[in-house]
Amino acid sequence: MGVNAEFAGRSYPPTEPYAVRADHIAAFAQAVGAASALHYDRAAAEAAGYPDVIAPPTYAVVVAQQCDSQLVRDPSAGIDFSRVVHGQQAFTHHRPIVAGDRLIGILHVDSVREVGGHAMVTTRSELSTPEGEPVCTATSTIVVRGGE
């Protein structure tokens, strides 16, 4: 396995804050077919008790993948991105992501294991505000395909 198994248990520093914008939420919602007015209409979101439009639940992947890129770009990790296949993604939301949020992420490498000649790397991105309010926990597994 080319992936460095010693990376299991490693954490990376917080990412720079990501500014969540209403137009990005709307574009993402449109791309994934989320039709709720809460994603597009601030007045509808405010009427539902939110300070601005809310993101579809899977929007968290935008920030989580910025976290994951720290690992993928780390040459010591031994990940050949040309051999990566996305295996699994899950989100645990602590509250909705809202336009106007600034989110940081801390990446944790939860496991690195070999299965059938391929590396399975599971990461966890803890997304929060810079002040420390938890927003979402995003868990991802990538498969780094072994040699031919």
Side-chain angles (χ1 to χ4, degrees), residues 37-109:
L38 300 178
H39 307 310
Y40 303 95
D41 182 349
R42 182 178 184 152
E46 288 175 342
Y50 301 104
D52 206 328
V53 294
I54 63 171
T58 55
Y59 182 86
V61 76
V62 173
V63 183
Q65 286 190 340
Q66 290 183 341
C67 295
D68 288 343
S69 73
Q70 295 174 100
L71 173 65
V72 172
R73 289 179 308 182
D74 189 332
S76 301
I79 296 175
D80 176 355
F81 192 69
S82 72
R83 304 197 63 76
V84 169
V85 177
H86 192 240
Q88 184 175 356
Q89 186 78 51
F91 304 100
T92 301
H93 287 275
H94 310 295
R95 68 154 174 86
I97 295 173
V98 179
D101 276 341
R102 292 177 61 243
L103 301 176
I104 62 167
I106 298 176
L107 178 70
H108 304 275
V109 182

Side-chain angles (χ1 to χ4, degrees), residues 1 113-120:
M1 162 167 80
R113 58 192 175 93
E114 185 174 343
V115 177
H118 308 293
M120 307 284 285

